[in-house]
Amino acid sequence: MSAAELLALRRFGDGEIVTLAKLVIETAFQPIVEAATGSVFGYESLMRGFDRLGFQSPLDLIDRAHEAGQLMALEHMVNSRAIAAFAALPDFRARTLFVNLDSRLVSEGSVLVDRLAGHLQRAGIPASSICFEISERFDNDTLPDFADLVRKLRLAGFKLAIDDFGVGHNGLKLLCDHPVDYLKIDRHFISGMEADARKRYLVRHTVNAAHVLGTRVIAEGVETEAEFIACRDAGCDLVQGWFISRPVTDFSALSPVYPQVDRAGGIRRNSRTLDSILIRREIEHVAVLRENESLEAVFEFFRRDPKRTFFPVLNANDEPRGIVHEYHVKELSYHPFGRDLLKNKLYQKGLSHFVTTAPIADLDTPAEQLLDVFTGMGGNECVILTERMRYAGILSASSLIKIINEKRLKTAEDQNPLTGLPGNRSIRDYLQDKALDGDQLRCLCYFDFDNFKPFNDHYGFHKGDTALSLFASLLRREFVGDDAFIGHVGGDDFFAGISGRPVADVRVILERLLADFSREVRLCYSPEDQLAGEIRGHDRAGQAARFPLMRCSAVVLVVPEGEIISDAGQISSRIATLKADAKASAAGLVLASTSGHGESPAGP
């Protein structure tokens, strides 16, 4: 189409925006998938074909429709087409359709919602399958009808998302003042997030705050595998962007699962953590209410289980909407005319009017983080747990305390009885956590005594235990602070990890540690052996041999900031290949990067 034809069309179309849009506008769906599995959770409805009318973006078309007084008609046309396309998908009953709601339509929002509700009813789609996205770019404070519209959407069973979170001026207020189901973090914070510690910090804390409020988080605009891994590790529940799929108008190209998500970064964990095992053991599978159930059904639930003070409430898609507490409805149940009031058609309140939000977390959330979620707002009855975004059960305060106490007991059992240091289970969990945490540079240190067995054979295990205890005390002295961890692998093998400190500083600590141990462990030998600088003994083949005095060698694997290791087993394998180099070096110390380059034996 020529420029002249476009101009003529635009002039003609100012009064006929919707008529022309019906001819060229197409509905496109972009998948929104679960960060943990790659399974499709839902789709965002987008417009395509606006360029055929001479517009640069959908927003340009929408703005022109608003100027022409046809915004409501355009929105209704676009959304009704999207709902029709959604209903034609084979798996639509298990999905959510995200549609944009222009803030300029708030005053007419009730009309728009009523119209869409009719389409949904004819298509057999529950209201909970539709999520309206409100952009924080608009100042909703200036819209007096906004709170009423949000309340109407919520009571009708629709879901609400804050779009473009973080780049406008109203997102936090929306999140604070209204029961929001989803928060979509803007692309600005996702772009290059894997290499930007400030962005990772902001995203992680946004996710934590949202979960405390019972809100799930969607990372939008995820374009690369590295960005996806960073979003997943920050705790984002859902992701959307070109890394998953571009918007498509050919719906046969949509897939129920996007395998690149499952493959990204490899497998995150080879086995369930201790936290996950304990949480699954304590989860309560209590009866649930559906938000469209009658209040009489609610009373019946409380009557059948009088000890239960609350019940979780789910929507038609098995997603938690919150809880209903008995004190929210007892005014009606205790009122002498309460039952009659419920039967009165003029009484408009249903279960949705009495639902309050509750914190939500995934089953695999660490126990301490669950405690933070639980106590974040105060006065919570429970944490609602989900698996693959669907309701799995609840955890009460007493169950959570039991989990944390049992975890501490298991950790104590894992401690080495001689040195009192954490053992292999704790070391494994630490490595799994640090392998996936790219926010800081990490130095992972493995220690192994040289000539310990001849010493132990010659002087006896009591002296050997003294040497082990000596090294453990030196580790405690040198590795101090929240950024440090020390553990006892077993025998004469030890481990230490430290995050956020420069490699040069860590090298200084290790050189001092190894030197102090070599000097102090000499005192465990007899004066004659100290003078000789060696002892007589037998090697592993039983042959007589001379052995130098004991020292400790160390391998340090440096994991740079921003680098994520999908399989913590790779760390152990890499360290194992460097042990011989450390034992052969003059100072007994080798530093190497995870890439295999930059190996640096520390000489005198």
Side-chain angles (χ1 to χ4, degrees):
M1 185 179 295
S2 67
E5 290 173 320
L6 281 175
L7 180 60
L9 183 59
R10 289 284 292 276
R11 287 173 178 169
F12 171 75
D14 280 346
E16 300 292 339
I17 291 289
V18 177
T19 301
L20 294 172
K22 286 180 180 179
L23 300 176
V24 297
I25 293 299
E26 295 181 275
T27 297
F29 285 165
Q30 185 172 34
I32 299 173
V33 306
E34 298 170 16
T37 65
S39 297
V40 170
F41 178 78
Y43 308 97
E44 180 178 357
S45 173
L46 300 167
M47 279 194 292
R48 290 296 180 266
F50 49 84
D51 53 316
R52 299 174 192 170
L53 295 176
F55 295 100
Q56 297 296 315
S57 71
L59 287 177
D60 290 340
L61 171 58
I62 291 170
D63 288 344
R64 180 58 63 88
H66 175 64
E67 294 169 5
Q70 296 189 52
L71 181 56
M72 169 65 80
L74 178 65
E75 286 276 317
H76 178 66
M77 184 273 291
V78 170
N79 288 335
S80 59
R81 285 188 175 185
I83 289 172
F86 181 67
L89 298 178
D91 55 358
F92 79 91
R93 296 187 187 278
R95 309 290 183 238
T96 296
L97 179 65
F98 291 76
V99 298
N100 290 282
L101 177 61
D102 195 294
S103 295
R104 291 168 294 193
L105 290 176
V106 165
S107 60
E108 304 174 82
S110 293
V111 176
L112 181 64
V113 170
D114 289 339
R115 288 182 180 180
L116 290 179
H119 285 291
L120 295 176
Q121 187 173 10
R122 288 189 292 274
I125 301 174
S128 59
S129 290
I130 305 298
C131 180
F132 287 97
E133 295 188 14
I134 305 290
S135 175
E136 75 152 91
R137 294 176 188 270
F138 293 99
D139 186 1
N140 295 299
D141 272 344
T142 64
L143 304 170
D145 300 320
F146 182 74
D148 290 338
L149 176 59
V150 169
R151 185 169 177 272
K152 180 180 178 66
L153 291 172
R154 186 80 179 180
L155 294 177
F158 293 103
K159 295 186 287 191
L160 183 68
I162 302 176
D163 195 14
D164 307 315
F165 188 85
V167 296
H169 55 272
N170 211 32
L172 280 176
K173 188 175 188 303
L174 278 171
L175 187 61
C176 175
D177 294 349
H178 303 288
V180 175
D181 298 281
Y182 307 101
L183 184 155
K184 300 186 77 174
I185 297 179
D186 189 79
R187 163 74 183 158
H188 171 81
F189 301 96
I190 305 304
S191 176
M193 174 179 158
E194 75 284 356
D196 191 325
R198 293 171 67 89
K199 288 184 177 181
R200 292 196 301 273
Y201 177 86
L202 289 170
V203 170
R204 181 182 296 110
H205 284 270
T206 298
V207 169
N208 292 341
H211 286 172
V212 168
L213 298 172
T215 300
R216 312 315 286 265
V217 177
I218 304 172
E220 57 180 350
V222 178
E223 295 187 355
T224 68
E225 179 177 345
E227 289 174 355
F228 165 74
I229 293 172
C231 291
R232 182 186 64 186
D233 294 337
C236 295
D237 305 287
L238 301 160
V239 293
Q240 172 186 5
W242 288 3
F243 174 67
I244 310 301
S245 171
R246 291 175 181 251
V248 298
T249 54
D250 177 9
F251 302 138
S252 65
L254 295 172
S255 171
V257 179
Y258 287 83
Q260 65 267 38
V261 169
D262 193 45
R263 292 194 301 262
I267 300 172
R268 296 182 68 194
R269 300 199 185 276
N270 295 325
S271 61
R272 283 181 177 169
T273 62
L274 175 61
D275 295 55
S276 179
I277 293 170
L278 295 176
I279 289 167
R280 281 172 164 80
R281 188 184 300 167
E282 291 297 323
I283 190 172
E284 296 180 64
H285 302 282
V286 301
V288 298
L289 288 158
R290 301 285 174 173
E291 63 180 350
N292 60 351
E293 292 193 70
S294 68
L295 286 174
E296 288 196 51
V298 176
F299 296 144
E300 185 63 21
F301 264 65
F302 285 115
R303 188 189 66 79
R304 289 200 306 262
D305 192 354
K307 294 183 179 180
R308 172 69 56 187
T309 59
F310 68 91
F311 288 98
V313 179
L314 310 184
N315 63 23
N317 300 72
D318 291 332
E319 295 173 274
R321 293 286 266 179
I323 64 170
V324 60
H325 200 285
E326 64 172 348
Y327 64 70
H328 293 149
V329 295
K330 70 179 180 181
E331 180 180 350
L332 276 177
S333 61
Y334 293 158
H335 194 284
F337 304 108
R339 298 288 176 130
D340 293 333
L341 184 61
L342 291 178
K343 295 176 182 178
N344 189 328
K345 293 184 178 179
L346 296 178
Y347 186 76
Q348 297 295 317
K349 290 187 176 181
L351 173 56
S352 297
H353 289 79
F354 299 95
V355 174
T356 58
T357 57
I360 299 175
D362 187 81
L363 267 175
D364 291 319
T365 304
E368 285 78 11
Q369 189 175 334
L370 274 181
L371 184 61
D372 290 341
V373 169
F374 189 90
T375 59
M377 293 290 290
N380 290 314
E381 295 283 355
C382 66
V383 175
I384 299 178
L385 296 178
T386 58
E387 188 167 30
R388 299 189 63 178
M389 299 293 293
R390 297 320 194 258
Y391 172 79
I394 66 168
L395 271 184
S396 63
S398 58
S399 296
L400 189 51
I401 291 171
K402 181 179 178 181
I403 288 168
I404 291 175
N405 286 338
E406 189 168 353
K407 180 183 177 183
R408 289 173 179 169
L409 179 61
K410 294 287 187 184
T411 301
E413 291 173 352
D414 183 49
Q415 288 180 342
N416 186 280
L418 174 64
T419 62
L421 295 178
N424 282 316
R425 186 193 342 239
S426 299
I427 295 171
R428 182 182 66 245
D429 288 347
Y430 175 85
L431 284 174
Q432 286 182 335
D433 180 54
K434 292 303 176 183
L436 298 169
D437 183 5
D439 282 358
Q440 297 175 310
L441 179 143
R442 292 137 286 168
C443 290
L444 309 175
C445 316
Y446 179 86
F447 304 94
D448 185 17
F449 292 1
D450 300 340
N451 304 312
F452 176 73
K453 186 178 184 304
F455 171 84
N456 202 49
D457 292 344
H458 185 79
Y459 286 100
F461 70 89
H462 289 296
K463 282 282 190 176
D465 288 352
T466 299
L468 296 174
S469 298
L470 168 63
F471 190 76
S473 67
L474 292 174
L475 277 177
R476 287 192 177 95
R477 186 185 71 187
E478 296 292 351
F479 289 88
V480 179
D482 293 337
D483 59 350
F485 170 88
I486 55 176
H488 191 166
V489 179
D492 59 333
D493 294 352
F494 291 82
F495 174 83
I498 193 163
S499 301
R501 299 192 200 178
V503 175
D505 292 355
V506 176
R507 180 192 285 269
V508 170
I509 291 173
L510 293 174
E511 289 174 344
R512 182 171 60 238
L513 169 69
L514 299 184
D516 288 349
F517 178 71
S518 295
R519 184 181 64 254
E520 295 186 31
V521 81
R522 288 177 64 91
L523 301 178
C524 295
Y525 290 83
S526 68
E528 295 79 14
D529 290 338
Q530 291 183 45
L531 184 61
E534 61 182 18
I535 61 173
R536 295 175 182 272
H538 294 85
D539 60 20
R540 296 184 183 277
Q543 301 296 318
R546 296 175 182 271
F547 298 93
L549 301 188
M550 185 169 35
R551 71 168 190 175
C552 181
S553 58
V555 172
V556 183
L557 196 61
V558 180
V559 187
E561 178 183 338
E563 182 171 341
I564 293 173
I565 302 174
S566 59
D567 182 2
Q570 296 174 7
I571 295 173
S572 300
S573 299
R574 181 81 177 112
I575 287 174
T577 63
L578 297 169
K579 286 173 61 176
D581 295 337
K583 288 182 177 294
S585 70
L589 177 61
V590 167
L591 288 86
S593 70
T594 49
S595 63
H597 302 296
E599 294 178 17
S600 175

